Amino acid sequence: MDIDLKITEGMTADEEDFILERLMTHNAVTFGPGNRRELAVPLHDEAGNLIGGLTGYTGRGWLYVSMLYIPDELRGRGLAARMLDMAEAEAKARGAIGAYIDTMNPAALKLYLKQGYIEIGTLKGLEGGHSVTWLEKRF
């Protein structure tokens, strides 16, 4: 079979879901069930509009925090720490043994370290002198 490959700028959400579904099925067959469950701590303003929050999931005994965003005007109020605490408590209730997260933001890195996370890897040399740091926290 001749396979034609090409580079594109991206895929639709449906196309990404198609690939994710197949990857998750493959991983379940290869590694056993992942028991993936979504987890979110949405942040709303007084009018009920979504303005930030935390998203992630638990699976294979761990919490993965995929996004954590606090609007600039609300930073420094402890919201990120509270969201992490809430997500970690839910993950523990689901049987997770730890959490992991990654960041490019030096301020976020300081917060995660203060919250008990430890660095497990860094990719240095990104454009602009930035780096990505991966962190874990065992419960």
Side-chain angles (χ1 to χ4, degrees), residues 43-46 51-52 69-80 83:
L43 177 61
H44 296 95
D45 65 14
E46 293 86 16
I51 58 171
Y69 173 74
I70 307 294
D72 289 341
E73 66 273 12
L74 295 178
R75 292 184 182 182
R77 297 184 184 187
L79 289 169
M83 289 178 175

Side-chain angles (χ1 to χ4, degrees), residues 27-72:
N27 286 347
V29 169
T30 305
F31 306 113
N35 303 319
R36 181 179 170 136
R37 290 179 58 196
E38 301 299 317
L39 183 149
V41 183
L43 177 61
H44 296 95
D45 65 14
E46 293 86 16
N49 300 309
L50 182 67
I51 58 171
L54 177 153
T55 64
Y57 60 87
T58 55
R60 302 194 184 281
W62 283 81
L63 164 65
Y64 172 59
V65 178
S66 58
M67 294 189 287
L68 197 166
Y69 173 74
I70 307 294
D72 289 341

